[in-house]
Amino acid sequence: LVRAELAYANGDPERASKGAREAMLALGKGAPPKLEARSQRMMGLSALALDRQTEAADYLTNAQELSETAGDDYERMMAAYAKALVEFLTGALVKSLKALNCAEESAQRLFRMDARAAVEAVRGRIELELGSYDEAARRFSALEELAATYSMPEACRRAGIWRARALAYAGEFEEAAAMLEDERDDPEARAFRGELEILRGRPHDARAWLDAPDEPAVRAFDPPDSFDWTSLFSEIEGRSIGFDAANAPLAEFRTALGLFAKGLDERDPACAVELHAMTRSERGSRSDPGMGTYSFFCYLLEERLQEPPVDKQTVLSRAFKILQQRAGRVEDRAQRALYMEKNAWNKRLIEAARTHKFI
């Protein structure tokens, strides 16, 4: 089991999955509940890293139930948190919130402030997905205070960067820009600074912020029980998308924004072609929350071209289909309405779908 965890930390989910499975078989019947729960959790994390979300959710549910039966709050906390990430990535936002509640309960009993901080960060991400930008800004502000109180400087810094992103989507451009410029050496903050300029209609100004920085060639050593505060994209999407690479989800996000900004600025049809290729590639994971938005970026570029290189209707249809699929996984009707009508890009996508009579 330890070898499986080491393989996972080194970015090798195949070996991690094999090792965790062998550990479960070796334990057999009557195994110590903690070891059984931990083996199931490692199977779930490995499945998620291999882009097998349903399998991951099943193993993590088993791990959570085993730990609850045994009264093991630590394993319950970690299993519930990992399950929340799976649900978030697949768009089941209500289920993700329920899993986060379980993780937080155990974190409070264990006085694990690092886990509480991670839970709050995912809640903030969910509020951004739902278009609740003011609530997300307040959430990240409270997380900054929590992290400062309990001496977690990396979590405090990340919360501030994501609060700035939420403020940008809430229309507080000047405040958000000032906050992000204070963190201009941070790759995630630079990407959000470029995104901010796109939001306020300045694609030319956005481009300088979206140049790819020098990325590490090899992913960082990242144990399964750690929380990655270098980037919330790495902490959440990075558990599945480009698991064996360094900062793959952030790089993909920055690339999509960069192509969108360049395409808007230069009316360059090649940018639409590249965006379309991103959404159609094997790396275009079905568990990537941004994939529908990237498709919509492609459509918005094509709207501005006299001779679109890709069929506009096809591109818009794909973006709308992804939105429908993800919205269908939001079980609560009110939350689903928020996701479709208050999220800034989803709202514009719905309007385009109406214009083209998809609705």
Side-chain angles (χ1 to χ4, degrees):
L1 182 58
V2 171
R3 288 195 188 100
E5 293 184 14
L6 179 61
Y8 180 91
N10 282 320
D12 189 345
E14 292 280 4
R15 280 181 55 211
S17 177
K18 182 180 177 182
R21 188 179 301 277
E22 289 173 351
M24 285 196 296
L25 292 172
L27 287 168
K29 292 184 178 180
K34 185 176 190 70
L35 284 178
E36 189 176 1
R38 196 171 182 90
S39 297
Q40 291 274 356
R41 177 158 66 88
M42 276 310 305
M43 285 296 300
L45 288 170
S46 300
L48 178 59
L50 293 166
D51 205 25
R52 301 200 293 255
Q53 296 82 22
T54 302
E55 184 180 328
D58 289 343
Y59 280 120
L60 293 168
T61 298
N62 291 343
Q64 184 178 335
E65 290 174 351
L66 284 164
S67 57
E68 286 173 349
T69 301
D72 186 334
D73 263 320
Y74 180 79
E75 284 301 324
R76 178 179 187 259
M77 174 184 77
M78 297 305 296
Y81 175 75
K83 185 180 176 186
L85 300 188
V86 177
E87 304 293 11
F88 173 82
L89 290 172
T90 58
L93 303 182
V94 175
K95 288 182 178 179
S96 182
L97 287 169
K98 289 178 181 177
L100 289 172
N101 290 341
C102 292
E104 185 180 45
E105 288 172 1
S106 291
Q108 287 176 328
R109 285 195 287 266
L110 295 168
F111 204 71
R112 286 293 300 263
M113 294 300 111
D114 58 338
R116 279 195 61 198
V119 165
E120 286 301 291
V122 182
R123 284 179 175 148
R125 290 287 311 268
I126 290 172
E127 285 164 345
L128 284 171
E129 286 287 297
L130 294 173
S132 301
Y133 302 122
D134 291 329
E135 290 86 344
R138 286 193 289 270
R139 175 87 58 188
F140 286 118
S141 178
L143 176 52
E144 279 186 276
E145 293 179 14
L146 176 74
T149 300
Y150 291 100
S151 301
M152 296 182 286
E154 291 182 344
C156 185
R157 183 187 191 196
R158 197 56 42 199
I161 289 169
W162 278 80
R163 177 162 71 94
R165 189 191 190 201
L167 288 170
Y169 271 96
E172 302 292 340
F173 297 128
E174 297 305 323
E175 183 180 357
M179 292 172 65
L180 292 171
E181 284 176 24
D182 286 343
E183 300 287 356
R184 62 188 305 121
D185 293 332
D186 183 271
E188 201 170 60
R190 289 187 64 83
F192 293 161
R193 186 67 179 81
E195 182 183 40
L196 181 153
E197 295 299 340
I198 290 172
L199 289 172
R200 61 177 172 183
R202 300 177 182 176
H204 180 76
D205 295 340
R207 293 177 64 183
W209 296 96
L210 297 170
D211 292 336
D214 292 333
E215 296 283 9
V218 181
R219 77 189 292 279
F221 183 82
D222 194 9
D225 288 18
S226 66
F227 303 107
D228 186 351
W229 292 109
T230 63
S231 161
L232 288 190
F233 282 114
S234 295
E235 168 59 15
I236 301 175
E237 284 90 338
R239 303 261 184 168
S240 180
I241 301 163
F243 179 77
D244 58 350
N247 302 328
L250 177 58
E252 186 175 76
F253 172 74
R254 183 175 53 242
T255 298
L257 287 176
L259 289 169
F260 187 42
K262 182 182 178 183
L264 290 172
D265 187 32
E266 297 183 356
R267 298 293 193 268
D268 184 353
C271 294
V273 172
E274 288 187 57
L275 271 171
H276 182 65
M278 275 184 66
T279 66
R280 303 298 296 180
S281 71
E282 289 185 13
R283 287 194 60 189
S285 171
R286 53 204 169 131
S287 63
D288 186 345
M291 200 51 61
T293 303
Y294 304 159
S295 288
F296 186 51
F297 286 171
C298 180
Y299 164 79
L300 290 174
L301 291 185
E302 295 210 304
E303 278 282 274
R304 290 159 174 76
L305 298 172
Q306 288 187 345
E307 296 182 7
V310 185
D311 182 67
K312 279 194 306 184
Q313 293 275 38
T314 300
V315 173
L316 180 60
S317 175
R318 175 170 169 76
F320 185 55
K321 181 179 179 181
I322 293 171
L323 173 60
Q324 287 181 308
Q325 288 173 339
R326 293 189 69 83
R329 298 187 188 109
V330 182
E331 293 176 315
D332 181 83
R333 182 177 295 179
Q335 300 282 61
R336 190 185 312 128
L338 288 176
Y339 178 71
M340 298 185 75
E341 297 168 11
K342 285 194 66 180
N343 178 293
W345 295 114
N346 292 351
K347 180 180 178 180
R348 291 181 63 181
L349 174 51
I350 291 290
E351 290 169 356
R354 286 200 177 98
T355 299
H356 288 268
K357 305 195 185 310
F358 289 176
I359 302 175

